[in-house]
Amino acid sequence: MSTKDCGHHHSSHRRLLHLILIGAAAFVLLVLFVVFLIWVILRPTKPRFTLQDATLFNFNLSSPIPNTLSLTMQVTLSAHNPNARIGVYYHALRLHASYRSQQISLPTALPDTYQGHHDFTVWSPFLYGNTVPVAPFVLASLQQDQSAGTVMVNVKVNGRVKWKVGTWVSGRYHININCPAYISFAGDRSNAEGVKFHLLQSCSVDV
């Protein structure tokens, strides 16, 4: 092969590589544009969760060592899909009660659910915690709040969601929900049975 032919071969190879890079960049830009266009048209909005009420059957502190908490509570949790063109799949949802970032109940599973456009879904699960060990500072704080008459328990939910547009279904995304529940006590009562609190408390949602 002559020097002229070799130079022509390298020049053609560079042009081909340049065209491939341009094509790849154009494809990426097209995909990004389509995603942006879908977002603008559909305007996806996170689901909205509301803690409607909580029924407290047992809330019993035990001390001194071991410091434990026994809890039995039923909550009513509703979810609203505000989107007009997007459906939502809920998968592997688990909820538990926590106090000052410490989990105070076992996780409770919610059934997998599909939520259509503008649909509502309501769950009424039980939360159980049987002699759950709590840190001394958590116990002291619980006792203070209970003596003051109100304890704020956070009902937390985590799991996965998928979006559905027409026949297309997205991959799974993490969803985390945090619902504050303000539990009132009469005097310094340490044990409550069958007390229902109507809360209608909006929850924070992170997807």
Side-chain angles (χ1 to χ4, degrees):
M1 182 183 292
S2 66
T3 302
K4 183 177 179 181
D5 291 337
C6 184
H8 179 72
H9 174 75
H10 283 299
S11 178
S12 298
H13 181 72
R14 284 195 298 270
R15 282 198 298 271
L16 178 61
L17 181 61
H18 184 64
L19 290 174
I20 291 174
L21 291 175
I22 291 176
F27 177 75
V28 171
L29 289 174
L30 179 61
V31 170
L32 292 175
F33 175 75
V34 170
V35 170
F36 174 74
L37 191 61
I38 291 174
W39 182 86
V40 169
I41 294 173
L42 299 178
R43 297 184 181 181
T45 303
K46 295 183 295 186
R48 296 168 184 164
F49 281 74
T50 302
L51 185 61
Q52 295 184 353
D53 59 58
T55 303
L56 191 65
F57 296 97
N58 181 36
F59 192 94
N60 189 31
L61 298 171
S62 177
S63 63
I65 297 174
N67 301 321
T68 62
L69 167 66
S70 292
L71 169 74
T72 304
M73 182 168 65
Q74 184 181 22
V75 299
T76 301
L77 184 69
S78 67
H80 173 221
N81 175 14
N83 296 288
R85 301 180 182 89
I86 302 174
V88 184
Y89 285 100
Y90 298 99
H91 178 70
L93 295 181
R94 301 287 187 274
L95 80 159
H96 67 271
S98 73
Y99 176 82
R100 294 188 180 271
S101 300
Q102 177 171 343
Q103 185 171 331
I104 57 175
S105 78
L106 295 172
T108 298
L110 298 179
D112 291 354
T113 304
Y114 172 73
Q115 201 171 50
H117 313 150
H118 293 304
D119 272 359
F120 285 85
T121 304
V122 179
W123 300 279
S124 295
F126 278 86
L127 295 168
Y128 299 98
N130 186 23
T131 59
V132 178
V134 294
F137 77 91
V138 171
L139 180 70
S141 181
L142 272 169
Q143 290 172 331
Q144 290 176 3
D145 289 349
Q146 195 174 36
S147 296
T150 303
V151 175
M152 190 186 79
V153 175
N154 291 87
V155 176
K156 296 185 176 182
V157 187
N158 57 75
R160 305 285 188 274
V161 292
K162 293 190 294 186
W163 311 106
K164 183 177 183 294
V165 181
T167 59
W168 176 82
V169 179
S170 73
R172 293 178 181 176
Y173 294 85
H174 290 272
I175 185 169
N176 296 287
I177 302 109
N178 184 11
C179 309
Y182 295 92
I183 307 299
S184 298
F185 292 87
D188 60 352
R189 181 176 58 184
S190 61
N191 200 344
E193 294 183 0
V195 181
K196 188 170 186 176
F197 303 95
H198 297 277
L199 303 170
L200 291 177
Q201 178 66 51
S202 297
C203 308
S204 63
V205 181
D206 183 29
V207 179

